[in-house]
Amino acid sequence: MSIRSAIATIVAFATTALAHGTVSGFLTDGTFNQGFLLDYYYTKQNGGELPDIAAWYAENTDIGFISPDAYNTSDINCHKNAEPGALTSTVAAGGTVDFKWTTWPHGIGPVLTYVASCGDVDCSAVDKTTLLWVKIDESGYDTTTSTWAAQTLIDNNSTWTTTVPETLAAGNYVFRHEIIALHGATTENGAQNYPQCMNIAVTGSGTDLPEGTLGTDLYAADDAGILFNPYTTISSYTIPGPELFGSSGSGSGSGAATSATSAVASTKAAASASAIKATSAATSAAPTSAAVTSVVATSSAAASTTAVVTSSPTTLATVTKATSTTKAATTSAASPSQSGSVDAASLYGQCGGKAWTGATTCAVGTCTSYNDYYSQCVNA
Ligand SMILES: *[C@@H]1O[C@H](CO)[C@@H](O)[C@H](O)[C@H]1NC(C)=O
Ligand SMILES: *[C@@H]1O[C@H](CO)[C@@H](O)[C@H](O)[C@H]1NC(C)=O
Ligand SMILES: *[C@@H]1O[C@H](CO)[C@@H](O)[C@H](O)[C@H]1NC(C)=O
Ligand SMILES: [Cu+2]
């Protein structure tokens, strides 16, 4: 291993304590497609061959995120130093794409899906800085069930299903699926964007293709849905980013009139889709055993690398923060527990913070307070 990649490795594992997940695979109309695995980065560093897949390459080796102060960089498109996947998978307009995340830890924030046409270019050769994103799916906060989209995703085995609009023009697209974690969003630059891309051709007879938005214009650090305090009673939440596909008045003058009819249809579709999500979130108990299984796998991977990290100043800083944990744990200890089956948070799960009524102990890792609002189970 070169010194350079050794340093990269240390950095990667030092920040794992604050880490999260990636889309490890996705289904197009029920067919599985390989996601980009972080191992592929190391394969590349070691001169190995990357597998040909439709998912985009990215260097988010810390399993980390794009912060608001990088919304003006090309990384906001498809994560850090992203490059197009070699292949393109296929979905029918009106069909579904299921994004399968690794066990997702943060239940506070919206989930969004965008598409950008590659025009006549094969998406494997597209320049990400020219992509114009059209939002085709968004879900924020459901005030009737007090549920964030990210929690709905967690409750569905860390999977999110997006229905491709039936009227979307056929052609080659980059799909951009994104979770925005808001647990730290009370403070400036505290939101965390997790974009993931894959090449998917849409088939069918649709012809609608609204003008999209450049990645660097999608969000601003002070957007109402980016700089947001989730730790109060939420009466409304404004999902950030451009208008949803099919919404009336969607930005681009010329396309707006022609898509007016489909607007009604897709708004209804969106509404019933979220109703379905809400119902299933309420009725399905958390898939505890699935979650626990993958947590164990993750933690042993993390544990075996801990030795590498010991000299890192970043890690030491993280460890010292553990002192305030007890306070957070004590405050919420008396909170009404659920049926007793969920009594400890999984690795990277939330374990404390103001207004937190969930688990305050960790099945794996140590409960570490990052601020008054948020404590998380991490490996020291
Ligand atoms: C992006 O914005 C930040 C401030 O949020 C600034 O420091 C940085 O220089 C900008 N980068 C680019 C590439 O414009
Ligand atoms: C949950 O997701 C994992 C990983 O994608 C998968 O192996 C497992 O079959 C899924 N479980 C269910 C109940 O769908
Ligand atoms: C949950 O995920 C499955 C795929 O694993 C998908 O078929 C289903 O539509 C999802 N449910 C919701 C409510 O998103
Ligand atoms: Cu996190």
Side-chain angles (χ1 to χ4, degrees):
M1 182 183 274
S2 70
I3 287 180
R4 197 159 165 221
S5 61
I7 289 169
T9 307
I10 289 168
V11 171
F13 289 117
T15 45
T16 296
L18 291 166
H20 332 275
T22 64
V23 172
S24 60
F26 61 101
L27 309 183
T28 42
D29 286 331
T31 302
F32 181 81
N33 302 269
Q34 182 62 54
F36 181 79
L37 303 183
L38 298 174
D39 285 353
Y40 299 159
Y41 167 80
Y42 297 101
T43 303
K44 189 183 175 195
Q45 294 305 303
N46 294 327
E49 292 233 335
L50 294 178
D52 283 348
I53 54 174
W56 280 45
Y57 170 92
E59 296 185 348
N60 47 318
T61 49
D62 56 355
I63 328 176
F65 48 87
I66 305 298
S67 324
D69 63 7
Y71 286 171
N72 56 356
T73 73
S74 62
D75 285 348
I76 189 62
N77 286 289
C78 297
H79 225 311
K80 294 173 186 160
N81 298 328
E83 292 166 20
L87 304 183
T88 297
S89 51
T90 303
V91 70
T96 54
V97 181
D98 297 330
F99 302 96
K100 298 178 72 65
W101 288 82
T102 51
T103 305
W104 186 254
H106 299 305
I108 299 178
V111 178
L112 314 93
T113 306
Y114 295 81
V115 296
S117 169
C118 299
D120 296 332
V121 179
D122 189 287
C123 290
S124 64
V126 85
D127 173 0
K128 66 189 173 190
T129 65
T130 65
L131 291 172
L132 293 170
W133 299 106
V134 174
K135 193 197 273 172
I136 59 164
D137 181 26
E138 64 177 13
S139 186
Y141 185 78
D142 185 331
T143 51
T144 53
T145 59
S146 303
T147 307
W148 285 99
Q151 186 60 47
T152 302
L153 178 148
I154 291 169
D155 293 344
N156 197 30
N157 196 22
S158 297
T159 299
W160 188 265
T161 301
T162 290
T163 299
V164 179
E166 206 148 349
T167 58
L168 182 66
N172 290 328
Y173 291 91
V174 180
F175 276 58
R176 176 182 187 277
H177 180 60
E178 180 180 43
I179 302 173
I180 305 179
L182 296 177
H183 55 270
T186 309
T187 51
E188 187 100 28
N189 205 38
Q192 304 179 346
N193 294 58
Y194 298 83
Q196 300 267 277
C197 293
M198 48 283 293
N199 300 331
I200 307 177
V202 173
T203 61
S205 55
T207 53
D208 285 2
L209 185 57
E211 180 106 25
T213 303
L214 281 176
T216 48
D217 292 334
L218 286 175
Y219 309 119
D222 60 355
D223 283 349
I226 296 293
L227 182 59
F228 181 83
N229 178 7
Y231 304 104
T232 59
T233 303
I234 301 169
S235 54
S236 76
Y237 170 74
T238 307
I239 300 171
E243 294 271 355
L244 186 62
F245 176 94
S247 306
S248 51
S250 59
S252 54
S254 61
T258 42
S259 48
T261 331
S262 58
V264 179
S266 66
T267 310
K268 274 193 192 132
S272 64
S274 59
I276 291 165
K277 277 175 188 144
T279 314
S280 84
T283 49
S284 70
T288 318
S289 60
V292 169
T293 314
S294 48
V295 161
V296 172
T298 316
S299 84
S300 62
S304 65
T305 54
T306 310
V308 186
V309 171
T310 39
S311 61
S312 159
T314 313
T315 306
L316 295 177
T318 305
V319 171
T320 47
K321 284 185 188 168
T323 42
S324 51
T325 308
T326 331
K327 206 187 285 171
T330 315
T331 325
S332 39
S335 64
S337 73
Q338 301 165 27
S339 50
S341 58
V342 184
D343 49 11
S346 57
L347 189 61
Y348 305 133
Q350 184 168 359
C351 54
K354 267 183 199 164
W356 174 246
T357 56
T360 54
T361 56
C362 297
V364 179
T366 306
C367 189
T368 302
S369 170
Y370 291 100
N371 56 46
D372 289 348
Y373 299 105
Y374 191 72
S375 300
Q376 186 185 39
C377 299
V378 297
N379 284 319

